[in-house]
Amino acid sequence: LNHIVALQPENQTAVVEAGVLNGDLDQAAREVGYFYAPDPGSKPISTIGGNIATNAGGMASLKYGTTRENVLGLKVVLADGRLLELGGATFKNNASYDLTDLFIGSEGTLGVVVEATVRLRPIPFGDTVTGLATFSDVHALTHAVQVLQASGVNPSMLEVLNRVSIEALDEYEGIDLGGRGEQALLIFQLDVAVAGAL
């Protein structure tokens, strides 16, 4: 159960078996100009089936959603051995009951995922910008995030570190992000930094 069954860039989808590693799917998609958006911290070693079972997210879920928003269809084996096919390969599905959504995050309690049809996204045109911003306190950081989200820049990633995390990062990396007494740190990423965005 560890095969990429089909990469379909023309449909912006891929069909994968549950044992395919998230990072391997993303790498294969990038070779055809797309990427697989869910990016849990365990991306290089976590399986698509495990990501579906837990509705894994990651820092990019701010813009691209968690696994739930990136799974279009499933093949699931039920406890009695029946194979159930849910969803499909379309982005818009108006079915009144969304059983695909029900299985995502159910941690295997409803059935075992054996195959998934997932959404691929085009690699954004331009250069990705990642940055750090420090703040005197968490309230100032919170205000900055509100302004950023209302600006139309649409960051793909935002991650907040408090003072304890800043000190741990400084010690681990041998750097000095908190040298002026900063109490909060914002890590941000913009898929594409248009003129004036920074």
Side-chain angles (χ1 to χ4, degrees):
L1 293 175
N2 62 353
H3 298 94
I4 297 174
V5 177
L7 275 178
Q8 302 166 328
E10 67 280 4
N11 297 326
Q12 297 184 0
T13 61
V15 179
V16 296
E17 294 176 338
V20 170
L21 297 180
N22 183 318
D24 289 349
L25 172 58
D26 185 51
Q27 182 179 354
R30 287 178 185 278
E31 290 172 8
V32 294
Y34 287 79
F35 71 105
Y36 182 60
D39 67 334
S42 59
K43 185 172 190 162
I45 60 169
S46 64
T47 63
I48 297 297
N51 290 176
I52 291 168
T54 60
N55 189 28
M59 290 192 280
S61 61
L62 174 70
K63 183 172 185 178
Y64 298 109
T66 61
T67 298
R68 175 171 281 118
E69 288 79 28
N70 291 279
V71 173
L72 304 171
L74 294 173
K75 285 186 182 177
V76 181
V77 176
L78 301 179
D80 63 4
R82 285 184 292 156
L83 181 65
L84 189 62
E85 294 188 32
L86 307 169
T90 59
F91 295 154
K92 182 177 180 183
N93 186 341
N94 289 6
S96 55
Y97 292 108
D98 189 353
L99 295 178
T100 305
D101 191 51
L102 182 65
F103 274 86
I104 299 169
S106 67
E107 298 192 0
T109 59
L110 302 176
V112 177
V113 173
V114 293
E115 187 178 281
T117 301
V118 298
R119 181 178 192 161
L120 302 178
R121 302 195 185 245
I123 294 173
F125 180 76
D127 295 324
T128 299
V129 174
T130 303
L132 304 173
T134 56
F135 297 87
S136 58
D137 58 51
V138 174
H139 297 294
L141 182 146
T142 302
H143 177 71
V145 167
Q146 291 170 344
V147 170
L148 178 62
Q149 289 183 310
S151 72
V153 171
N154 198 13
S156 57
M157 179 182 74
L158 294 175
E159 186 73 16
V160 175
L161 281 72
N162 63 13
R163 180 67 192 175
V164 173
S165 300
I166 294 170
E167 290 172 359
L169 184 61
D170 281 349
E171 183 177 330
Y172 181 77
E173 293 287 341
I175 54 180
D176 192 27
L177 291 173
R180 294 187 308 249
E182 291 83 350
Q183 298 298 308
L185 171 71
L186 177 67
I187 303 170
F188 65 89
Q189 187 170 73
L190 309 175
D191 286 339
V192 179
V194 296
L198 292 180

